[in-house]
């Protein structure tokens, strides 16, 4: 059986409103298909434009099999390249991020311009033509500071997502941001367990004491409760009147992305231990003090929170069938000074704790679903519709791509 037919089999075996069959979380052949059909084909969030402000600044990431470098050119353009030298294949940019006048391969010093052209290759003889040996480009799009990369030959249409997400993020002033702190967490679990865990807060009361100071799960926001919630409606009206789109918008085609604004708990305006702002300099210009949290996700690799005083971006990258890298960035106004406008511990405590608690939950689940005795259990009608929506997206998308 090929990886394709095996993966399609397991996708079709999935019981509606139940967790996925074990193999979808652990089988190396399924993992290869996840890479082939999703990670090597979809738009993947790489980082933010404000991390690459100056010409020559670059960041690198690994998208499945593909090492990628995103580089700011001398012309101000951002470009994504396959980070594989056209001589004998060495990674050209070896650091997670950096700045260089030219991209010099560390192996035999082939030297590439910031736009990818090969400028210099020593000892190659006088009739060696550098043309045709430039770094191979990958697709690259930017929306409201979010850099997305696609390694497929033909990329999916980026425009529907751009159109939907722009009005939500634009008022949050992301172009005026900097990264105050970054954490990189390796979770010993399949990437789908990482995302499933993010799509529910059924576990939050028991697992996230720090987050629960400010976060309340609102089932109406999750799209579960049929009855209208007058308080939520009033909150949305107030935010929208101040120019902040808030009512949930879901990708109607495939359910690949969603935006919604949620109120925080009564006395909280930020994800801090005391609920007070972590940063004195605000990001948005709405003039409304309590704007809750704007949440947006884009499958398969990012979820985000935008608050009045700071924002958080999360990037998921698979490292293997049972290993996933989660990168979290705490974004603050670029003029905010550490120690003056914010205290790093006050800013990061809640999500550093929450991420680590989630890591343990994911790792425990990976260990449990690998058991031959594991049987996919039912999702809560009330509290697990988000997880179910993620699994539906995964199974529908894989089914469609594998011709099921
Ligand atoms: O990011 C979300 O969608 C929220 C935050 C915590 C859990 N989850 C439901
Ligand atoms: Fe890059 Fe040789 S592999 S210069
Ligand atoms: Fe959690």
């Amino acid at each position: 059986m090929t990886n394709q037919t095996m993966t399609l089999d397991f996708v079709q075996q999935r019981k509606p409103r139940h967790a996925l069959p074990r193999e979808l979380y652990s089988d190396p052949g399924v993992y290869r298909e996840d890479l082939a059909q999703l990670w090597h084909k979809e738009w993947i969030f790489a980082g933010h434009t404000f991390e690459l402000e100056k010409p020559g600044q670059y960041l690198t990431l690994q998208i499945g099999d593909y090492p990628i470098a995103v580089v700011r050119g001398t012309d101000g353009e951002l470009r994504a390249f396959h980070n594989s030298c056209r001589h004998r294949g060495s990674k050209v940019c070896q650091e997670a991020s950096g700045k260089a006048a030219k991209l010099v391969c560390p192996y035999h010093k082939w030297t590439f311009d910031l736009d990818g052209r090969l400028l210099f290759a020593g000892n190659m003889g006088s009739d060696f033509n550098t043309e045709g040996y430039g770094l191979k480009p990958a697709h690259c799009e930017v929306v409201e500071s979010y850099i997305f990369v696609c390694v497929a030959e033909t990329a999916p249409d980026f425009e529907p997502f751009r159109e939907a997400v722009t009005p939500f993020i634009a008022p949050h002033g992301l172009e005026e941001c900097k990264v105050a702190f970054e954490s990189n967490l390796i979770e010993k679990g399949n990437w789908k367990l990482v995302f499933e865990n993010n799509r529910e807060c059924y576990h939050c009361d028991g697992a996230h004491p720090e987050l629960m100071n400010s976060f309340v799960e609102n089932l109406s926001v999750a799209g579960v409760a049929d009855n209208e919630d007058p308080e939520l409606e009033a909150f949305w009206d107030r935010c929208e009147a101040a120019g902040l789109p808030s009512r949930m918008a879901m990708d109607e085609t495939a359910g690949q992305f969603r935006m919604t604004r949620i109120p925080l708990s009564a006395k909280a305006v930020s994800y801090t231990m005391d609920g007070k702002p972590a940063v004195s300099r605000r990001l948005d210009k709405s003039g409304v003090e309590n704007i809750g949290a704007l949440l947006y996700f884009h499958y398969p690799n990012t979820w985000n929170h935008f608050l009045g005083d700071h924002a958080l971006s999360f990037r998921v990258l698979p490292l293997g069938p049972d290993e996933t890298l989660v990168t979290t960035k705490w974004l603050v106004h670029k003029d905010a000074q550490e120690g003056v406008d914010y205290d790093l511990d006050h800013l990061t405590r809640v999500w550093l704790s929450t991420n680590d608690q989630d890591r343990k939950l994911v790792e425990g689940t990976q260990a449990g679903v690998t058991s031959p005795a594991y049987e996919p259990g039912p999702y809560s009608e009330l509290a697990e519709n988000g997880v179910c929506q993620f699994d539906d997206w995964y199974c529908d998308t894989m089914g469609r791509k594998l011709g099921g």
Side-chain angles (χ1 to χ4, degrees):
M1 224 194 319
T2 63
N3 286 339
Q4 280 103 315
T5 50
M6 174 189 61
T7 305
L8 185 58
D9 250 27
F10 288 122
V11 161
Q12 289 173 339
Q13 270 173 38
R14 180 213 169 200
K15 276 210 247 171
R17 297 204 58 86
H18 281 67
L20 301 175
R22 169 181 47 252
E23 290 78 1
L24 295 182
Y25 298 120
S26 60
D27 187 275
V30 170
Y31 178 71
R32 293 303 311 164
E33 274 321 290
D34 284 356
L35 295 188
Q37 305 303 336
L38 298 173
W39 294 90
H40 296 168
K41 288 210 173 120
E42 298 295 335
W43 288 103
I44 302 299
F45 166 52
H48 297 279
T49 50
F50 45 79
E51 297 178 82
L52 305 175
E53 271 184 340
K54 301 191 186 81
Q57 280 191 299
Y58 66 84
L59 62 84
T60 63
L61 71 154
Q62 183 78 23
I63 305 178
D65 292 343
Y66 294 88
I68 294 291
V70 184
V71 185
R72 175 81 69 186
T74 31
D75 56 0
E77 282 297 301
L78 277 177
R79 293 180 183 83
F81 298 112
H82 289 281
N83 191 8
S84 172
C85 181
R86 295 299 305 279
H87 177 222
R88 279 164 56 197
S90 167
K91 268 169 81 166
V92 177
C93 303
Q94 307 252 346
E95 307 297 326
S97 63
K99 185 167 182 289
K102 304 274 181 270
L103 306 175
V104 183
C105 178
Y107 205 170
H108 314 94
K109 310 294 179 201
W110 280 30
T111 300
F112 301 88
D113 208 350
L114 300 177
D115 65 5
R117 275 179 309 139
L118 178 61
L119 292 174
F120 169 79
N123 285 322
M124 292 301 289
S126 55
D127 54 359
F128 176 72
N129 188 354
T130 52
E131 267 173 51
Y133 293 101
L135 292 175
K136 291 186 180 174
H139 301 279
C140 184
E141 290 285 351
V142 171
V143 59
E144 297 296 324
S145 91
Y146 280 73
I147 306 167
F148 280 82
V149 172
C150 174
V151 300
E153 206 135 281
T154 312
D157 189 3
F158 191 75
E159 294 316 304
F161 171 59
R162 185 201 304 285
E163 274 168 36
V165 80
T166 301
F168 281 91
I169 314 184
H172 287 269
L174 269 271
E175 61 289 339
E176 299 281 292
C177 272
K178 66 175 178 185
V179 178
F181 193 73
E182 169 177 339
S183 89
N184 284 282
L185 200 58
I186 293 177
E187 306 194 5
K188 293 195 184 350
N190 184 266
W191 68 272
K192 294 189 278 304
L193 290 178
V194 173
F195 229 121
E196 285 177 355
N197 176 259
N198 170 261
R199 290 306 326 279
E200 50 95 352
C201 228
Y202 188 8
H203 69 274
C204 290
D205 269 339
H208 298 316
E210 297 85 356
L211 183 66
M212 288 301 99
N213 290 328
S214 53
F215 190 88
V216 267
E217 190 179 27
N218 186 315
L219 297 173
S220 313
V221 173
V224 206
D226 300 329
N227 54 320
E228 282 184 13
D229 174 342
E231 262 180 58
L232 183 63
E233 289 291 332
F235 168 75
W236 279 339
D237 285 342
R238 188 161 54 76
C239 292
E240 294 195 343
L244 302 171
S246 299
R247 284 181 168 75
M248 181 164 91
M250 171 73 88
D251 167 24
E252 281 165 18
T253 318
Q256 190 175 12
F257 54 84
R258 178 223 61 190
M259 288 71 66
T260 189
R261 193 180 306 276
I262 57 160
L264 300 181
S265 63
K267 291 195 188 74
V269 296
S270 192
Y271 292 144
T272 48
M273 295 301 283
D274 57 9
K276 294 192 175 126
V279 191
S280 56
R281 191 86 167 67
R282 281 180 71 89
L283 280 182
D284 73 296
K285 295 180 182 71
S286 70
V288 177
E289 210 224 330
N290 189 354
I291 61 168
L294 169 67
L295 310 183
Y296 105 74
F297 67 72
H298 185 280
Y299 298 150
N301 95 312
T302 184
W303 67 81
N304 301 270
H305 298 250
F306 301 81
L307 305 147
D309 64 322
H310 71 282
L312 294 137
S313 72
F314 296 80
R315 184 188 69 180
V316 175
L317 293 169
L319 301 178
D322 52 12
E323 206 165 75
T324 305
L325 171 67
V326 179
T327 303
T328 307
K329 287 172 185 163
W330 283 258
L331 313 176
V332 303
H333 194 281
K334 63 178 176 4
D335 298 335
Q337 275 181 15
E338 189 190 334
V340 180
D341 302 297
Y342 64 94
D343 173 80
L344 206 51
D345 177 62
H346 191 222
L347 175 68
T348 57
R349 174 85 73 87
V350 166
W351 275 99
L352 281 179
S353 311
T354 304
N355 281 346
D356 202 53
Q357 292 149 357
D358 282 327
R359 177 187 59 75
K360 291 203 185 88
L361 298 173
V362 165
E363 292 181 351
T365 309
Q366 185 72 37
V369 297
T370 315
S371 163
Y374 162 71
E375 220 182 293
Y379 286 139
S380 156
E381 291 281 343
L382 282 175
E384 288 178 306
N385 288 298
V387 197
C388 194
Q389 191 271 337
F390 170 79
D391 286 358
D392 289 348
W393 168 80
Y394 172 77
C395 291
D396 291 351
T397 306
M398 292 298 277
R400 191 163 18 86
K401 295 190 184 211
L402 294 169

